[in-house]
């Protein structure tokens, strides 16, 4: 599975700041599994939540806009089928 550009950017910023999913969840007042799903683009944030997350991570407002878009469900563009 390849990571999206925004996911790579978020994970790098999280690591550089020494943050965990649990700490981000505490600040955002949400579940750590949910914030991980946001970062991996399986879920979306409200504009306010997205701004808070990118502020915490020291990223740009353009990154916040990306996090409010419709999430990418699944790990691959190909739908699995039974042969």
């Amino acid at each position: 599975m390849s990571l999206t550009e925004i996911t790579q950017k978020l994970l790098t910023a999280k690591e550089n700041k020494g943050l965990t999913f649990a700490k981000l969840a505490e600040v955002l007042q949400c579940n750590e599994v949910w914030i991980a799903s946001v970062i991996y683009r399986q879920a979306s944030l409200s504009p306010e939540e997205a701004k808070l997350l990118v502020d915490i991570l020291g990223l740009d407002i353009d990154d916040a806009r990306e996090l409010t878009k419709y999430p990418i469900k699944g790990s691959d563009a190909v739908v699995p089928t039974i042969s």
Side-chain angles (χ1 to χ4, degrees), residues 9-35:
K9 197 173 198 179
L10 292 163
L11 290 172
T12 299
K14 181 176 106 19
E15 183 176 329
N16 289 343
K17 296 272 184 176
L19 296 169
T20 62
F21 289 121
K23 183 61 178 171
L24 288 173
E26 181 182 317
V27 174
L28 292 166
Q29 298 180 345
C30 65
N31 182 284
E32 68 184 282
V33 173
W34 182 76
I35 198 63

Side-chain angles (χ1 to χ4, degrees), residues 13-76:
K14 181 176 106 19
E15 183 176 329
N16 289 343
K17 296 272 184 176
L19 296 169
T20 62
F21 289 121
K23 183 61 178 171
L24 288 173
E26 181 182 317
V27 174
L28 292 166
Q29 298 180 345
C30 65
N31 182 284
E32 68 184 282
V33 173
W34 182 76
I35 198 63
S37 71
V38 167
I39 289 176
Y40 282 97
R41 296 305 299 127
Q42 299 291 307
S44 297
L45 293 171
S46 71
E48 297 79 19
E49 292 167 327
K51 182 176 181 334
L52 180 57
L53 178 59
V54 297
D55 285 348
I56 292 165
L57 296 175
L59 299 176
D60 300 324
I61 193 67
D62 290 336
D63 298 317
R65 288 188 198 100
E66 184 69 26
L67 297 173
T68 64
K69 292 181 180 177
Y70 191 79
I72 303 165
K73 298 291 185 173
S75 61
D76 200 339

